[in-house]
Amino acid sequence: NAGVTQTPKFQVLKTGQSMTLQCAQDMNHEYMSWYRQDPGMGLRLIHYSVGAGITDQGEVPNGYNVSRSTTEDFPLRLLSAAPSQTSVYFCASSYWGGAGNTIYFGEGSWLTVV
Amino acid sequence: GNSVTQMEGPVTLSEEAFLTINCTYTATGYPSLFWYVQYPGEGLQLLLKATKADDKGSNKGFEATYRKETTSFHLEKGSVQVSDSAVYFCALSPANTGNQFYFGTGTSLTVIP
Protein backbone atom coordinates (compact mmCIF):
# COMPACT_ATOMS: atom_id res chain seq x y z
CA ASN A 1 0.00 0.00 0.00
CA ALA A 2 3.01 2.34 -0.18
CA GLY A 3 2.11 4.26 -3.37
CA VAL A 4 4.19 7.45 -3.54
CA THR A 5 6.56 8.00 -0.64
CA GLN A 6 8.32 11.29 0.04
CA THR A 7 10.95 12.16 2.60
CA PRO A 8 11.51 14.19 4.66
CA LYS A 9 8.10 15.43 5.71
CA PHE A 10 9.47 18.57 7.34
CA GLN A 11 12.75 20.39 6.79
CA VAL A 12 14.23 23.73 7.77
CA LEU A 13 17.14 25.00 5.71
CA LYS A 14 19.35 28.04 5.90
CA THR A 15 19.69 30.24 2.85
CA GLY A 16 22.36 28.85 0.55
CA GLN A 17 22.18 25.29 1.81
CA SER A 18 21.44 22.43 -0.55
CA MET A 19 19.26 19.43 0.04
CA THR A 20 17.47 16.61 -1.72
CA LEU A 21 13.82 15.66 -1.39
CA GLN A 22 13.42 11.97 -1.98
CA CYS A 23 10.50 10.42 -3.85
CA ALA A 24 9.82 6.78 -4.57
CA GLN A 25 6.84 4.98 -6.08
CA ASP A 26 6.11 1.26 -6.18
CA MET A 27 3.39 1.25 -8.85
CA ASN A 28 5.73 0.91 -11.85
CA HIS A 29 4.55 4.26 -13.20
CA GLU A 30 6.46 5.74 -16.09
CA TYR A 31 5.54 9.31 -15.28
CA MET A 32 6.72 11.15 -12.19
CA SER A 33 6.61 14.82 -11.33
CA TRP A 34 7.28 17.40 -8.66
CA TYR A 35 4.91 20.22 -7.75
CA ARG A 36 5.10 23.03 -5.30
CA GLN A 37 2.04 24.36 -3.53
CA ASP A 38 1.87 27.97 -2.43
CA PRO A 39 -1.07 29.86 -0.93
CA GLY A 40 -3.38 31.26 -3.59
CA MET A 41 -1.39 29.69 -6.42
CA GLY A 42 -2.48 26.11 -6.43
CA LEU A 43 0.02 23.52 -7.62
CA ARG A 44 2.77 24.44 -10.01
CA LEU A 45 4.82 21.91 -11.90
CA ILE A 46 8.56 22.06 -11.24
CA HIS A 47 10.00 19.12 -13.22
CA TYR A 48 8.69 15.90 -14.65
CA SER A 49 9.90 12.66 -16.13
CA VAL A 50 8.27 10.26 -18.58
CA GLY A 51 10.66 7.44 -17.87
CA ALA A 52 14.08 6.50 -16.57
CA GLY A 53 16.76 8.73 -18.04
CA ILE A 54 14.27 11.34 -19.27
CA THR A 55 13.47 14.58 -17.47
CA ASP A 56 12.00 17.90 -18.51
CA GLN A 57 11.18 21.27 -17.03
CA GLY A 58 7.78 22.34 -15.87
CA GLU A 59 6.42 25.77 -15.11
CA VAL A 60 8.83 26.77 -12.30
CA PRO A 61 12.12 24.84 -12.70
CA ASN A 62 14.65 27.48 -11.63
CA GLY A 63 16.66 26.54 -8.57
CA TYR A 64 15.81 22.85 -8.79
CA ASN A 65 17.43 19.82 -10.37
CA VAL A 66 16.07 16.34 -10.94
CA SER A 67 17.31 13.02 -12.22
CA ARG A 68 15.62 9.71 -12.99
CA SER A 69 18.05 6.84 -12.87
CA THR A 70 15.38 4.25 -12.07
CA THR A 71 11.65 3.91 -12.68
CA GLU A 72 10.99 4.03 -8.94
CA ASP A 73 12.93 7.09 -7.80
CA PHE A 74 12.73 10.77 -8.70
CA PRO A 75 14.68 12.99 -6.28
CA LEU A 76 14.39 16.77 -6.31
CA ARG A 77 17.51 18.77 -5.48
CA LEU A 78 17.59 22.31 -4.23
CA LEU A 79 20.96 23.64 -5.27
CA SER A 80 21.20 26.76 -3.10
CA ALA A 81 18.08 27.27 -1.04
CA ALA A 82 16.37 30.66 -1.06
CA PRO A 83 13.49 31.94 1.10
CA SER A 84 11.32 31.99 -2.05
CA GLN A 85 11.57 28.21 -2.07
CA THR A 86 9.69 27.96 1.20
CA SER A 87 6.73 25.85 0.14
CA VAL A 88 5.05 22.49 0.31
CA TYR A 89 6.42 20.05 -2.23
CA PHE A 90 4.50 17.14 -3.68
CA CYS A 91 5.81 14.27 -5.71
CA ALA A 92 3.34 12.52 -8.00
CA SER A 93 3.25 9.61 -10.41
CA SER A 94 0.99 8.01 -12.98
CA TYR A 95 0.98 5.79 -16.02
CA TRP A 96 2.08 7.54 -19.18
CA GLY A 97 -0.11 7.95 -22.22
CA GLY A 98 -3.80 7.53 -22.88
CA ALA A 99 -6.60 9.61 -21.46
CA GLY A 100 -7.86 10.08 -17.97
CA ASN A 101 -4.86 8.70 -16.13
CA THR A 102 -5.12 9.31 -12.41
CA ILE A 103 -2.14 11.03 -10.86
CA TYR A 104 -1.14 9.83 -7.40
CA PHE A 105 0.44 12.17 -4.89
CA GLY A 106 2.78 11.71 -1.98
CA GLU A 107 1.93 13.20 1.38
CA GLY A 108 4.04 16.29 0.89
CA SER A 109 7.25 17.80 2.21
CA TRP A 110 7.03 21.05 4.15
CA LEU A 111 10.18 23.08 3.50
CA THR A 112 11.10 26.31 5.25
CA VAL A 113 14.12 28.32 4.16
CA VAL A 114 15.32 30.90 6.68
CA GLY B 1 -3.27 27.33 -23.69
CA ASN B 2 -4.57 25.11 -20.92
CA SER B 3 -5.88 26.52 -17.66
CA VAL B 4 -8.39 25.92 -14.90
CA THR B 5 -10.35 28.55 -13.04
CA GLN B 6 -12.21 27.66 -9.88
CA MET B 7 -14.20 29.73 -7.48
CA GLU B 8 -12.37 31.60 -4.79
CA GLY B 9 -12.74 30.47 -1.25
CA PRO B 10 -12.94 30.02 1.53
CA VAL B 11 -16.39 28.51 1.63
CA THR B 12 -18.11 27.92 4.96
CA LEU B 13 -21.28 25.85 5.13
CA SER B 14 -23.42 24.36 7.82
CA GLU B 15 -23.70 20.61 8.01
CA GLU B 16 -26.28 19.17 5.56
CA ALA B 17 -26.11 22.23 3.31
CA PHE B 18 -25.81 21.94 -0.47
CA LEU B 19 -22.37 22.47 -1.94
CA THR B 20 -21.36 23.82 -5.32
CA ILE B 21 -17.80 24.66 -6.25
CA ASN B 22 -17.52 26.13 -9.72
CA CYS B 23 -14.80 25.11 -12.14
CA THR B 24 -14.29 26.22 -15.72
CA TYR B 25 -11.47 25.34 -18.04
CA THR B 26 -9.67 26.32 -21.19
CA ALA B 27 -8.15 23.61 -23.31
CA THR B 28 -7.78 22.45 -26.86
CA GLY B 29 -9.54 19.29 -27.84
CA TYR B 30 -11.17 17.09 -25.23
CA PRO B 31 -9.27 17.03 -21.97
CA SER B 32 -9.93 14.73 -19.05
CA LEU B 33 -11.26 16.54 -15.99
CA PHE B 34 -10.66 15.79 -12.34
CA TRP B 35 -11.50 16.86 -8.84
CA TYR B 36 -8.88 16.23 -6.20
CA VAL B 37 -9.32 16.71 -2.44
CA GLN B 38 -6.66 17.61 0.09
CA TYR B 39 -7.32 17.02 3.77
CA PRO B 40 -5.24 18.98 6.29
CA GLY B 41 -1.61 17.87 6.37
CA GLU B 42 -2.06 15.36 3.56
CA GLY B 43 -1.41 15.05 -0.15
CA LEU B 44 -4.03 15.33 -2.85
CA GLN B 45 -6.35 12.40 -3.45
CA LEU B 46 -8.49 11.77 -6.48
CA LEU B 47 -12.13 12.46 -5.71
CA LEU B 48 -13.68 11.90 -9.13
CA LYS B 49 -13.00 12.27 -12.81
CA ALA B 50 -14.61 12.38 -16.24
CA THR B 51 -12.90 11.69 -19.52
CA LYS B 52 -15.44 12.79 -22.14
CA ALA B 53 -18.25 15.25 -22.66
CA ASP B 54 -21.47 14.59 -20.69
CA ASP B 55 -19.76 12.05 -18.46
CA LYS B 56 -20.64 12.35 -14.79
CA GLY B 57 -18.01 11.52 -12.21
CA SER B 58 -19.19 10.62 -8.74
CA ASN B 59 -17.73 9.47 -5.44
CA LYS B 60 -18.62 9.77 -1.74
CA GLY B 61 -21.79 11.72 -2.58
CA PHE B 62 -19.92 14.25 -4.73
CA GLU B 63 -20.76 14.65 -8.40
CA ALA B 64 -19.48 16.64 -11.37
CA THR B 65 -20.61 16.61 -14.98
CA TYR B 66 -18.30 17.33 -17.93
CA ARG B 67 -19.99 20.13 -19.85
CA LYS B 68 -18.25 20.78 -23.13
CA GLU B 69 -20.64 23.54 -24.21
CA THR B 70 -19.91 25.62 -21.11
CA THR B 71 -16.37 24.27 -20.54
CA SER B 72 -17.29 23.54 -16.95
CA PHE B 73 -16.94 20.78 -14.37
CA HIS B 74 -18.72 22.04 -11.27
CA LEU B 75 -18.49 19.97 -8.09
CA GLU B 76 -21.71 19.36 -6.16
CA LYS B 77 -22.82 17.55 -3.04
CA GLY B 78 -26.35 17.49 -1.74
CA SER B 79 -25.60 17.34 1.99
CA VAL B 80 -22.13 18.13 3.30
CA GLN B 81 -20.65 16.74 6.49
CA VAL B 82 -18.01 18.08 8.85
CA SER B 83 -15.66 15.42 7.49
CA ASP B 84 -15.86 17.05 4.03
CA SER B 85 -13.85 20.02 5.29
CA ALA B 86 -10.83 20.13 2.99
CA VAL B 87 -9.35 21.95 0.02
CA TYR B 88 -10.76 20.95 -3.37
CA PHE B 89 -8.80 21.24 -6.60
CA CYS B 90 -10.17 21.11 -10.11
CA ALA B 91 -7.71 19.87 -12.70
CA LEU B 92 -7.46 18.99 -16.35
CA SER B 93 -5.23 16.73 -18.36
CA PRO B 94 -5.14 17.68 -22.04
CA ALA B 95 -6.04 15.13 -24.65
CA ASN B 96 -3.16 13.05 -25.96
CA THR B 97 -0.64 14.27 -23.41
CA GLY B 98 -1.25 11.46 -20.98
CA ASN B 99 -0.11 13.11 -17.84
CA GLN B 100 0.30 16.85 -18.06
CA PHE B 101 -1.98 18.23 -15.37
CA TYR B 102 -3.17 21.77 -14.86
CA PHE B 103 -4.64 22.61 -11.47
CA GLY B 104 -6.90 25.34 -10.24
CA THR B 105 -5.89 27.34 -7.19
CA GLY B 106 -8.03 25.28 -4.84
CA THR B 107 -11.16 26.07 -2.85
CA SER B 108 -11.10 25.68 0.91
CA LEU B 109 -14.31 24.27 2.38
CA THR B 110 -15.16 24.35 6.07
CA VAL B 111 -18.30 22.62 7.28
CA ILE B 112 -19.54 23.62 10.70
CA PRO B 113 -21.83 21.46 12.86
Side-chain angles (χ1 to χ4, degrees):
Chain A
N1 260 20
V4 179
T5 304
Q6 295 179 228
T7 56
K9 185 146 184 145
F10 299 99
Q11 183 73 49
V12 178
L13 285 179
K14 294 183 179 178
T15 297
Q17 285 185 316
S18 62
M19 76 158 297
T20 299
L21 298 176
Q22 302 291 345
C23 176
Q25 52 91 11
D26 62 358
M27 297 174 280
N28 203 32
H29 287 162
E30 302 95 332
Y31 180 87
M32 297 185 74
S33 54
W34 278 101
Y35 290 86
R36 59 178 289 172
Q37 182 182 27
D38 300 293
M41 304 191 76
L43 280 79
R44 293 182 292 170
L45 182 64
I46 304 171
H47 284 286
Y48 66 96
S49 168
V50 301
I54 306 169
T55 63
D56 208 344
Q57 295 181 350
E59 181 185 357
V60 288
N62 292 341
Y64 307 95
N65 268 359
V66 292
S67 59
R68 184 94 180 270
S69 56
T70 67
T71 299
E72 294 78 19
D73 300 302
F74 190 48
L76 178 72
R77 297 182 187 85
L78 280 71
L79 309 172
S80 177
S84 61
Q85 293 179 303
T86 294
S87 188
V88 184
Y89 292 85
F90 289 98
C91 181
S93 75
S94 74
Y95 290 108
W96 176 246
N101 289 323
T102 300
I103 192 167
Y104 296 86
F105 287 87
E107 293 189 342
S109 297
W110 274 253
L111 175 67
T112 302
V113 182
V114 297
Chain B
N2 299 293
S3 66
V4 175
T5 302
Q6 61 181 105
M7 66 183 284
E8 299 272 338
V11 175
T12 302
L13 294 174
S14 297
E15 205 164 23
E16 299 184 4
F18 185 85
L19 168 71
T20 299
I21 301 178
N22 290 338
C23 172
T24 58
Y25 68 89
T26 301
T28 53
Y30 294 86
S32 297
L33 301 173
F34 304 79
W35 277 100
Y36 278 81
V37 58
Q38 184 182 31
Y39 299 104
E42 299 184 9
L44 279 73
Q45 306 170 24
L46 178 67
L47 181 60
L48 53 84
K49 70 179 183 182
T51 58
K52 60 182 188 294
D54 300 324
D55 267 3
K56 178 185 283 187
S58 61
N59 186 25
K60 299 181 181 178
F62 291 89
E63 293 183 340
T65 300
Y66 188 142
R67 300 287 187 200
K68 180 71 176 174
E69 63 276 13
T70 54
T71 61
S72 64
F73 194 55
H74 304 320
L75 182 68
E76 296 182 336
K77 186 174 185 181
S79 176
V80 293
Q81 305 300 312
V82 172
S83 57
D84 293 327
S85 298
V87 180
Y88 293 82
F89 291 89
C90 186
L92 72 83
S93 179
N96 302 321
T97 65
N99 302 83
Q100 299 300 326
F101 276 75
Y102 297 83
F103 288 87
T105 54
T107 302
S108 175
L109 170 66
T110 300
V111 181
I112 55 177

